[in-house]
Amino acid sequence: MKKIVLTLAVLVAAGIGAWFVWRPAPTAPDVAFTTLEGKTFSMQDLRGKVVLVKFWATSCVTCVKQMPGAIETYKKYAPKGYEAVAVAMSYDPPNYVLNYAETRKLPFPVALDTKGELARAFGDVKLTPTAFLIDKEGHIIKRYLGDYDVAEFHATLERALATG
């Protein structure tokens, strides 16, 4: 009897482990972004590219610290099929966001989330910076909260760009 119980326990543990390893990645919500310039596009429009959706605020020290690196990453990987979308949080005054984007010459789309709908769609994002790396098929590869290891991010990005 002990042997049967032990065997069943091992099989259940293996099944649970396999589910965590092979479960499908969650799909990014099919939301529409509106840029500072008034241009609208959706996640569906970005299929075929590896996309970083980054929630940020001009008042967020870590967000501001990360922005030069985000610009460098964009310039390096955009020609290879990478897109970044900087989503300003609902509490960030649009004129602050516009001023920041213009003075820093942000090369990627900057979207306003004035009603918090985008943040809610991505799991009710409250903390900044929060970013989602999304593969070419629209699956969320990884969620980043706060500061992150840039070399690890670039390695993950390069693997995503190399697939499919």
Side-chain angles (χ1 to χ4, degrees), residues 25-28 43-44 46-51 134-141 160 163-164:
T27 302
M43 282 302 305
Q44 191 67 37
L46 299 173
R47 288 283 169 95
K49 293 185 175 197
V50 176
V51 180
I134 301 162
D135 70 14
K136 295 174 184 177
E137 287 79 42
H139 299 109
I140 297 172
I141 300 170
T163 61

Side-chain angles (χ1 to χ4, degrees), residues 85-136:
V85 182
V87 180
M89 296 296 284
S90 61
Y91 55 81
D92 209 353
N95 58 324
Y96 287 23
V97 177
L98 179 62
N99 181 57
Y100 188 93
E102 287 179 347
T103 59
R104 279 30 169 231
K105 297 181 178 25
L106 299 184
F108 38 78
V110 177
L112 297 173
D113 188 18
T114 56
K115 296 179 184 172
E117 293 169 348
L118 297 171
R120 279 191 295 282
F122 274 89
D124 206 18
V125 173
K126 300 262 189 237
L127 303 174
T128 57
T130 297
F132 298 86
L133 187 61
I134 301 162
D135 70 14
K136 295 174 184 177

Side-chain angles (χ1 to χ4, degrees), residues 30-157:
D30 190 21
V31 295
F33 302 97
T34 302
T35 68
L36 292 171
E37 299 81 22
K39 179 183 172 195
T40 302
F41 61 93
S42 69
M43 282 302 305
Q44 191 67 37
D45 296 330
L46 299 173
R47 288 283 169 95
K49 293 185 175 197
V50 176
V51 180
L52 183 74
V53 176
K54 183 175 191 146
F55 291 87
W56 70 291
T58 57
S59 59
C60 165
V61 174
T62 303
C63 301
V64 171
K65 182 183 107 181
Q66 289 178 347
M67 207 54 86
I71 293 167
E72 286 177 30
T73 297
Y74 183 80
K75 288 179 178 178
K76 179 178 180 180
Y77 292 105
K80 299 174 184 178
Y82 172 68
E83 184 61 81
V85 182
V87 180
M89 296 296 284
S90 61
Y91 55 81
D92 209 353
N95 58 324
Y96 287 23
V97 177
L98 179 62
N99 181 57
Y100 188 93
E102 287 179 347
T103 59
R104 279 30 169 231
K105 297 181 178 25
L106 299 184
F108 38 78
V110 177
L112 297 173
D113 188 18
T114 56
K115 296 179 184 172
E117 293 169 348
L118 297 171
R120 279 191 295 282
F122 274 89
D124 206 18
V125 173
K126 300 262 189 237
L127 303 174
T128 57
T130 297
F132 298 86
L133 187 61
I134 301 162
D135 70 14
K136 295 174 184 177
E137 287 79 42
H139 299 109
I140 297 172
I141 300 170
K142 188 154 185 176
R143 178 180 189 244
Y144 297 90
L145 178 61
D147 229 345
Y148 58 90
D149 182 302
V150 175
E152 183 274 329
F153 172 71
H154 284 181
T156 304
L157 174 57

Side-chain angles (χ1 to χ4, degrees), residues 13-28:
I16 291 170
W19 182 82
F20 277 104
V21 171
W22 290 301
R23 70 179 173 186
T27 302

